[in-house]
Amino acid sequence: MKIYIEGYGCTLNTADTQIIKNSVNEFEDFELTDNVDDSDIIVINTCIVRQETEHRMISRIEYFKSLDKKVVVAGCMAKALSKKIENLADVLIMPREAQHSGNILKDKLLKDCSEKNNESTQNLNFEDKLNEKIKKVSSQGLITALPICEGCLGSCTYCIVKRARGNLASYDRDLIVKKAEELVKSGTKCLLVTAQDTACYGLDNSDSLPNLINDISEIPEKFAMRIGMMHAKFAEPILDELIESFKSEKVVKFLHLPIQSGDDQVLKDMNRNYTVDEYISVLNEFKSKIKNLNFTTDVIVGFPTETEEAFENTLEIVKKIKPDFTHAAKYSQRKYTKAAILKQVDTKIRKERSEILNELRRELSYENNKRHIGETFEILVTKDNMGVTDNCKNVIFEEPAKIGEFKRVKITGAKTFGLSGKLIN
């Protein structure tokens, strides 16, 4: 049977989509196809982080169902909103089951097939076999996502992803390092170390993110690794070791540290478990010790308890911390979350605040990029006349260069969300 697989969402979910493909590929009964019309089974790996994303997922699932094919819903929607799709999906695959997708599909959809390679899903203990997931990660080319754990230790009142991915479960460090080495040797030049919260890696098994970074850094080949989003609360206890690990030449000088709000009361209502001052303390340590740090943050506007004063506080804090890039999002009401039952801020106000923040974030991004003019960076050439600096900024250049090579570039110009430069021989 031919299977078409489509994936959406964050870097972590992108990795899961590849894991699903790799699991399916292990079975002779299945053949992957890039043509949905040619398929017998359609797998959609879903994202539901925002309400509009959820609506898009349901619309896509309904379309697939209209094609009169078997429809398999995987990912966050399968776990967190299963009742919404119970009449649309023939099979559900949970986020922690991606590595068993081939087994699940064979057990549920090919009951009459040969028992060869088959292990009934009734006998699978997915929690016990979670480390099997990291084993099924494979190279996605020049840049590959490397998941390091499932779930998180937070309980943010606006977030539905916790319901989908659960509590923290870290992969074994040795297995991650072995996989990283395998990916690098197969041609990957940049590892995207990813999780819901990379800072909490290892807190469930007496390990830590700095230990993991240090071990991956010892892989001798030439490559870079970008550490994904981390929560300030969990970064703070390991801060000294974490910053030291970031000094490795293998680590991209990039920090994704969401603040979400610049108002202490709103942060408390979000259950972020840090104050503005505590957040800034963590950030300033990074900024003072890591040269040319590219700092990215996330801000939610229009959270139910965000007053006009609270929003103004957020704007002032964003001006103070000066992110290189800000993911600015209007609050999205999500089912099963504590924030969803609060009185909501009018959508018009949310839109107005979002527009104000968007203008500010663009100004700050441009200011930050201008400071790099005249500086020299190492880049990874990712496309023709385009690369990514060693602090994760896109740069364009005119000179010819081979994709996959590391080059040096002198920055000659800046735009809001990128740089231009000239390659140095």
Side-chain angles (χ1 to χ4, degrees):
M1 298 183 79
K2 292 186 177 182
I3 300 181
Y4 171 81
I5 300 175
E6 190 171 281
Y8 295 87
C10 62
T11 305
L12 187 61
N13 220 41
T14 300
D16 279 357
T17 300
Q18 190 62 45
I19 288 168
I20 291 170
K21 289 181 179 179
N22 291 341
S23 177
V24 167
N25 252 341
E26 294 176 354
F27 291 81
E28 294 179 356
D29 302 282
F30 299 132
E31 177 186 347
L32 294 178
T33 177
D34 293 327
N35 185 351
V36 67
D37 295 325
D38 195 34
S39 66
D40 304 296
I41 301 168
I42 298 171
V43 179
I44 176 170
N45 191 26
T46 56
C47 171
I48 54 167
V49 66
R50 298 181 57 78
Q51 195 167 55
E52 56 265 37
T53 313
E54 175 192 326
H55 292 160
R56 183 184 178 196
M57 295 295 98
I58 291 177
S59 176
R60 197 71 177 141
I61 293 166
E62 288 175 339
Y63 167 70
F64 287 148
K65 196 67 177 174
S66 74
L67 301 179
D68 196 29
K69 299 174 187 289
K70 296 292 185 182
V71 176
V72 179
V73 177
C76 291
M77 179 170 277
K79 178 68 174 179
L81 297 173
S82 57
K83 288 186 178 180
K84 279 200 168 188
I85 51 171
E86 59 187 358
N87 295 322
L88 294 172
D90 295 285
V91 178
L92 299 179
I93 298 175
M94 308 306 168
R96 298 193 183 200
E97 298 175 346
Q99 68 274 28
H100 300 296
S101 297
N103 265 316
I104 292 170
L105 296 187
K106 187 165 185 178
D107 189 63
K108 301 292 185 183
L109 300 179
L110 296 178
K111 288 184 181 293
D112 296 331
C113 289
S114 164
E115 291 300 311
K116 184 181 179 182
N117 289 328
N118 186 38
E119 179 183 359
S120 173
T121 55
Q122 293 178 356
N123 297 323
L124 287 174
N125 186 323
F126 297 119
E127 293 295 331
D128 288 349
K129 298 191 177 186
L130 190 59
N131 275 313
E132 293 298 314
K133 197 170 184 180
I134 191 68
K135 295 177 183 178
K136 284 190 168 59
V137 172
S138 65
S139 176
Q140 296 158 29
L142 205 59
I143 301 172
T144 299
L146 179 66
I148 61 174
C149 55
E150 283 285 329
C152 71
L153 292 175
S155 53
C156 302
T157 59
Y158 54 81
C159 182
I160 193 174
V161 179
K162 176 77 175 204
R163 180 179 171 88
R165 291 195 174 266
N167 289 321
L168 176 66
S170 300
Y171 301 141
D172 179 81
R173 182 176 10 136
D174 290 341
L175 290 177
I176 298 172
V177 175
K178 182 179 178 182
K179 178 57 67 173
E181 188 169 16
E182 174 190 312
L183 294 171
V184 169
K185 287 182 176 179
S186 69
T188 290
K189 298 293 185 181
C190 183
L191 297 170
L192 304 180
V193 176
T194 186
Q196 270 180 267
D197 171 17
T198 58
C200 69
Y201 171 79
L203 294 181
D204 58 326
N205 63 4
S206 301
D207 211 336
S208 73
L209 179 61
N211 288 342
L212 176 62
I213 294 173
N214 291 337
D215 280 4
I216 296 176
S217 293
E218 291 180 5
I219 297 171
E221 282 78 10
K222 176 74 171 175
F223 71 98
M225 63 172 141
R226 190 194 76 182
I227 311 303
M229 180 172 66
M230 60 181 71
H231 194 300
K233 171 183 169 60
F234 300 107
E236 192 278 330
I238 57 170
L239 193 55
D240 290 343
E241 300 93 333
L242 185 58
I243 290 174
E244 198 61 33
S245 71
F246 262 63
K247 293 178 181 178
S248 164
E249 64 178 15
K250 301 286 179 68
V251 177
V252 175
K253 304 310 181 255
F254 169 84
L255 175 68
H256 185 185
L257 193 72
I259 189 169
Q260 303 300 10
S261 174
D263 183 86
D264 281 340
Q265 184 57 51
V266 174
L267 287 174
K268 184 178 180 180
D269 296 337
M270 289 177 166
N271 200 32
R272 290 293 291 174
N273 289 308
Y274 54 75
T275 64
V276 171
D277 285 346
E278 288 168 344
Y279 173 92
I280 291 176
S281 176
V282 171
L283 174 61
N284 284 345
E285 279 293 295
F286 261 100
K287 283 189 169 184
S288 67
K289 295 176 180 177
I290 302 296
K291 183 183 176 183
N292 277 330
L293 182 72
N294 176 357
F295 157 54
T296 290
T297 197
D298 299 1
V299 177
I300 296 171
V301 297
F303 184 79
T305 63
E306 184 185 68
T307 62
E308 194 61 39
E309 180 183 1
F311 175 61
E312 290 297 329
N313 289 341
T314 294
L315 293 179
E316 289 306 309
I317 292 300
V318 171
K319 291 174 186 175
K320 181 177 180 178
I321 62 178
K322 293 181 170 58
D324 289 78
F325 186 84
T326 303
H327 296 280
K330 298 189 293 291
Y331 166 76
S332 182
Q333 190 175 10
R334 307 306 294 121
K335 192 174 183 180
Y336 303 118
T337 63
K338 292 181 179 179
I341 62 175
L342 300 174
K343 183 180 179 181
Q344 303 294 301
V345 173
D346 186 89
T347 54
K348 183 180 178 182
I349 294 174
R350 286 186 232 176
K351 185 174 184 292
E352 290 171 351
R353 291 177 183 174
S354 177
E355 290 171 351
I356 293 169
L357 178 60
N358 185 53
E359 185 175 344
L360 174 61
R361 79 182 185 98
R362 293 178 68 89
E363 291 173 5
L364 293 172
S365 290
Y366 182 49
E367 286 178 17
N368 280 314
N369 283 339
K370 281 197 299 183
R371 81 175 192 267
H372 292 311
I373 293 175
E375 295 179 344
T376 300
F377 290 92
E378 182 175 70
I379 65 166
L380 170 64
V381 181
T382 53
K383 297 178 182 178
D384 289 335
N385 304 112
M386 185 178 292
V388 180
T389 66
D390 53 16
N391 69 344
C392 201
K393 292 202 174 189
N394 291 323
V395 57
I396 57 173
F397 50 87
E398 295 182 354
E399 298 79 13
K402 185 179 179 181
I403 293 173
E405 284 188 340
F406 287 93
K407 295 286 189 179
R408 293 198 68 78
V409 64
K410 184 173 182 178
I411 304 303
T412 58
K415 292 186 177 181
T416 303
F417 299 125
L419 304 168
S420 56
K422 184 177 180 62
L423 293 187
I424 300 172
N425 292 328

